[in-house]
Amino acid sequence: MLHDVIVVGSGPGGAIAAATLAEQGKSVLLVDRQSFPRDKVCGDGMPVEVMKMLRELGIDMGALDYHRVYSLTITGPNGRAITTQENPHDSFSMTAPRYSFDHALHNHALQQGAHFEQMQIQEPLCHDGRVIGVIERRGGQRIEHEARVVIAAGGVGSPLARSLQKQKPSPEARAISIRAYVRLKQPMEPCVQFFFEPGLLPGYAWIFPIAGQRANVGVYIHNSTYKQGALDLRALFDDFCARLAEDYAFEIEPETLKSWSLPIYVADESRTTAGVMFVGDEGNFTNALTGGGIYTAMMTGRLAGEQAVKLLDSLPADYDAAWREAVAPDLRRGRFVQKHIASHALRLNSLIALGRNPLLKYRLMKAIAGDHY
């Protein structure tokens, strides 16, 4: 069967791409190696832009197990902190476990008319140097699925990325995180907190409150720092939890302690190869400073879906131009701050000190917190 579009991966980017296309009457095969709902390790922090897009898409907020965020605190290497309050508004920042968040977006794509199949993709299906579908591995069988357009949203280690992007990413284009959910013995304020500690720079540690008197606690560190220092990720996490326990009493849920790799944004090169559009983590659309990638996944998924509609309707389309206009400026800023400021304790401390000036606070918090602010 020939589909208009095959979308590989039903995370936020893939689900939004599939929904955008199905809403326009295109035949969409949405595939993922897992069934839904499923867990996805993440910090769970979502900027206000996420809720704005959810509202634009008509997604029912009642389907999300979300927790509203009212403020954000950034603590510098010297221990000094700066806090900003979020202005009351119908749209707001939040935390939401990916188990419920991704399931809501996945269901939205199905409601719009996308067809979902759980399958293990082996490699792209190619003809004359272009991708014309995907090849599924089912036991010992090799099954071909054809499409006029393919969108890759399978995340880190996707078979499509491995097959089509031959060059191995450098350490500076990768980061690693570890997180666990904890049960708080006392409620904490609805404030997301970042700790840029000396041993983690240009990374940081965090605690994000979530629903049910729980919190998401974790550490984010760049691969170059991690490998050069021969650091133990679990030890970094344990050390941070020990310091955090001075202010918060909690119990770690050991089964939720997990680590994951993040492909961070370092350059503006094309995110199309052999006719495939790469979105979300598979396109390295993760903010290098914060590790945030949910909003950019949703936005690049939406853009890829819109450009695919144009291709199918024989209209001019340019996915690279679309994402470079919509998301590249924020990603470039995050990369600049990560490389030239957050990597240096003195510079970061100075920037946070300047942020105590009310006139500068918004711009500085936006620069440091990126898409989490």
Side-chain angles (χ1 to χ4, degrees):
M1 178 179 178
L2 176 64
H3 304 275
D4 286 332
V5 184
I6 294 176
V7 180
V8 181
S10 190
I16 296 300
T20 301
L21 284 150
E23 188 178 20
Q24 295 299 313
K26 308 305 179 185
S27 64
V28 183
L29 174 61
L30 175 62
V31 305
D32 198 288
R33 64 181 179 273
Q34 299 185 64
S35 60
F36 283 73
R38 57 93 175 102
D39 190 23
K40 175 72 166 62
V41 286
C42 183
D44 296 337
M46 309 206 181
V48 65
E49 286 85 357
V50 168
M51 177 170 278
K52 290 178 180 177
M53 187 177 292
L54 293 175
R55 293 188 184 280
E56 290 173 7
L57 295 169
I59 295 176
D60 180 15
M61 292 297 296
L64 305 181
D65 182 22
Y66 71 89
H67 185 69
R68 180 167 184 171
V69 171
Y70 288 86
S71 60
L72 180 148
T73 294
I74 293 175
T75 301
N78 61 5
R80 295 183 179 177
I82 179 174
T83 299
T84 184
Q85 304 295 321
E86 189 168 282
N87 293 326
H89 197 274
D90 287 343
S91 296
F92 47 81
S93 301
M94 61 182 174
T95 57
R98 296 289 296 277
Y99 184 88
S100 67
F101 183 82
D102 287 15
H103 192 210
L105 268 58
H106 175 79
N107 282 340
H108 175 69
L110 303 190
Q111 290 164 5
Q112 297 305 310
H115 173 68
F116 175 71
E117 289 189 28
Q118 184 181 357
M119 64 175 67
Q120 187 71 40
I121 300 301
Q122 185 175 13
E123 60 184 300
L125 177 64
C126 299
H127 178 72
D128 290 338
R130 288 189 63 81
V131 174
I132 60 168
V134 296
I135 298 172
E136 175 191 4
R137 182 177 67 249
R138 188 182 302 170
Q141 288 185 298
R142 179 183 183 272
I143 303 172
E144 297 182 354
H145 301 272
E146 294 187 55
R148 297 169 63 192
V149 178
V150 174
I151 295 175
V156 180
S158 160
L160 295 183
R162 289 199 306 267
S163 298
L164 299 172
Q165 299 172 341
K166 303 298 184 182
Q167 188 173 4
K168 188 176 181 180
S170 64
E172 73 168 4
R174 287 288 184 270
I176 188 168
S177 283
I178 184 170
R179 72 94 165 105
Y181 291 122
V182 304
R183 292 202 170 275
L184 300 164
K185 296 184 179 179
Q186 298 292 333
M188 67 176 289
E189 292 187 5
C191 174
V192 299
Q193 300 183 47
F194 297 83
F195 300 84
F196 285 86
E197 300 187 338
L200 303 177
L201 299 182
Y204 62 91
W206 73 80
I207 179 169
F208 295 169
I210 59 176
Q213 202 164 308
R214 299 166 76 216
N216 185 313
V217 176
V219 171
Y220 167 74
I221 189 167
H222 286 255
N223 269 17
S224 54
T225 304
Y226 180 62
K227 291 181 178 179
Q228 289 172 6
L231 301 173
D232 184 320
L233 193 63
R234 174 61 189 271
L236 292 173
F237 176 83
D238 289 342
D239 289 346
F240 174 64
C241 285
R243 292 188 295 278
L244 200 61
E246 297 175 6
D247 297 310
Y248 299 99
F250 58 81
E251 293 181 354
I252 296 174
E253 299 175 359
E255 70 279 4
T256 67
L257 181 62
K258 298 179 181 178
S259 62
W260 73 103
S261 176
L262 296 101
I264 60 176
Y265 185 93
V266 296
D268 284 0
E269 73 262 17
S270 173
R271 263 60 172 185
T272 62
T273 303
V276 176
M277 290 180 276
F278 294 89
V279 309
D281 284 356
E282 193 158 353
N284 288 52
F285 287 113
T286 301
N287 189 298
L289 176 64
T290 67
I294 295 173
Y295 172 68
T296 50
M298 294 172 67
M299 177 57 76
T300 55
R302 189 175 193 176
L303 295 171
E306 292 170 350
Q307 296 304 309
V309 169
K310 291 182 179 180
L311 286 171
L312 293 166
D313 291 344
S314 301
L315 297 172
D318 192 335
Y319 174 58
D320 284 328
W323 68 255
R324 282 171 179 151
E325 179 180 355
V327 302
D330 282 346
L331 292 172
R332 289 191 205 110
R333 180 176 60 239
R335 172 63 173 160
F336 178 86
V337 176
Q338 173 258 324
K339 188 174 182 179
H340 299 289
I341 298 176
S343 298
H344 307 276
L346 182 60
R347 294 177 188 174
L348 186 54
N349 287 330
S350 299
L351 188 67
I352 291 173
L354 286 172
R356 295 174 183 274
N357 183 324
L359 297 177
L360 298 175
K361 179 181 284 190
Y362 174 80
R363 289 186 178 275
L364 292 173
M365 291 294 274
K366 182 71 174 176
I368 298 173
D371 56 3
H372 284 275
Y373 184 65

